Amino acid sequence: MLPNRSYLVTRRCIGRRFLLRPDDALNNAFVYCLALAAKRYGVKVHALGAMSNHYHLVLTDPERVLPDFMAWFNRQLAMCVKRLRRWDEVVWEPGVTYSAVELGGPAEVLDKVAYTLLNPVSAGLVRSPERWPGALSTLGMLRAGTMKAKHPTLWFKDNAPEDVSLALTVPPCFSDPSGYLHALEALVASRLGQVRAELRRQGRGCLGRTRVRKTAVTDQPTT
C-alpha cells in the first residue's frame, strides 16, 4: 500500500439488512464517526454515501493507514448502530472486512464520486441525490466543503467533541477545485438522465423517501 492513493471503499451490513436505514440519529452518527476517524488518521474524504444496507466512501490515504482507519471507523459506527437499532448481532458482513478499489487517476476518481452520489437514484429509491434522506455528500455539500455532526450520546464518552466538521476535500489528482466541481456536476447531470431513462425503460418507479424511512431495519432486499 503506497501513500496518497485514492480508493472507493464499500462496506455492507450483515445479510444486507437495512441497519443503516436513514434517520436523523443514524445520519448524525455516521458523519460524526467518519469525521473523528478522518481526523485521527489523516484520511482525506472526497465523497460519502450511506445507503440502507451499505456505504461508499471515496477517499485518499496519505499515510498508508487505511486498514487502521477502517477498523476504527467501522467499530465506532457499529456500536452506534447497535444502540440505535437495539441490535445484538454483528453489524457488518463477516468474512471480507471491506472492499477498497484503488483509483488510477482523475477519470476513475470522477467516475466513482459520481457513482457514489447517484447510488440512491440508481437503486430506484429517490428521483435525485438531493432527495435521499440519508448521509450523502451531494453536489451542494461538496461545494460547501463540510458536513457537520453533533455528539451522539448513545456511545461516545462525555469528553468526546460536542460538534465536529467533516472536510469534503478535492481529490489530490485535481489541481483546480472549480474545474473538478464543474466536471463532476456535468457528469452527474448526464448520468442522472441516463439512470432515469433506464428506470423508465424497465417500468420502475422510485420508492420515495417516505417509504425508505419506513423500511424495517431487520428486512433485507429480495434481490
Side-chain angles (χ1 to χ4, degrees):
M1 184 175 290
L2 298 173
N4 287 312
R5 291 298 192 266
S6 297
Y7 300 90
L8 170 68
V9 177
T10 304
R11 192 72 164 105
R12 298 190 182 278
C13 297
I14 184 169
R16 299 197 176 193
R17 288 180 172 83
F18 300 135
L19 295 172
L20 300 180
R21 182 204 65 199
D23 59 52
D24 290 345
L26 191 284
N27 298 347
N28 181 75
F30 188 94
V31 175
Y32 189 91
C33 293
L34 185 56
L36 289 187
K39 182 177 180 180
R40 183 185 184 100
Y41 292 98
V43 166
K44 306 300 182 184
V45 178
H46 313 308
L48 66 94
M51 301 290 284
S52 292
N53 60 11
H54 68 280
Y55 68 78
H56 297 298
L57 304 173
V58 181
L59 52 79
T60 296
D61 177 19
E63 305 295 334
R64 299 186 297 174
V65 293
L66 184 62
D68 293 335
F69 164 82
M70 289 299 297
W72 194 90
F73 171 60
N74 283 323
R75 180 174 185 274
Q76 307 310 313
L77 183 56
M79 298 308 294
C80 290
V81 170
K82 281 175 173 282
R83 284 156 176 76
L84 282 169
R85 306 306 192 209
R86 299 179 182 177
W87 182 257
D88 294 329
E89 301 179 40
V90 297
V91 170
W92 307 117
E93 190 70 54
V96 179
T97 54
Y98 59 89
S99 166
V101 178
E102 185 174 341
L103 307 178
E108 285 192 17
V109 171
L110 204 63
D111 173 72
K112 298 310 180 188
V113 172
Y115 168 81
T116 299
L117 270 58
L118 288 168
N119 207 194
V121 184
S122 303
L125 299 175
V126 288
R127 288 278 297 166
S128 68
E130 291 75 18
R131 295 290 295 168
W132 179 242
L136 183 72
S137 55
T138 62
L139 284 167
M141 290 179 181
L142 291 178
R143 291 189 199 98
T146 59
M147 295 177 72
K148 299 183 182 296
K150 293 187 175 294
H151 183 289
T153 55
L154 48 89
W155 164 242
F156 289 93
K157 294 181 179 179
D158 291 342
N159 61 355
E162 181 60 32
D163 300 285
V164 297
S165 293
L166 171 66
L168 298 171
T169 63
V170 174
C173 56
F174 290 90
S175 58
D176 176 17
S178 62
Y180 161 70
L181 291 171
H182 180 76
L184 179 61
E185 184 176 8
L187 182 58
V188 168
S190 172
R191 289 193 179 172
L192 182 58
Q194 295 171 8
V195 168
R196 287 173 174 171
E198 179 60 21
L199 291 173
R200 286 195 301 269
R201 189 190 68 80
Q202 296 175 5
R204 295 172 58 194
C206 67
L207 187 63
R209 59 193 301 170
T210 300
R211 283 186 286 177
V212 165
R213 286 183 172 132
K214 291 181 178 179
T215 305
V217 298
T218 54
D219 284 354
Q220 54 197 130
T222 55
T223 62

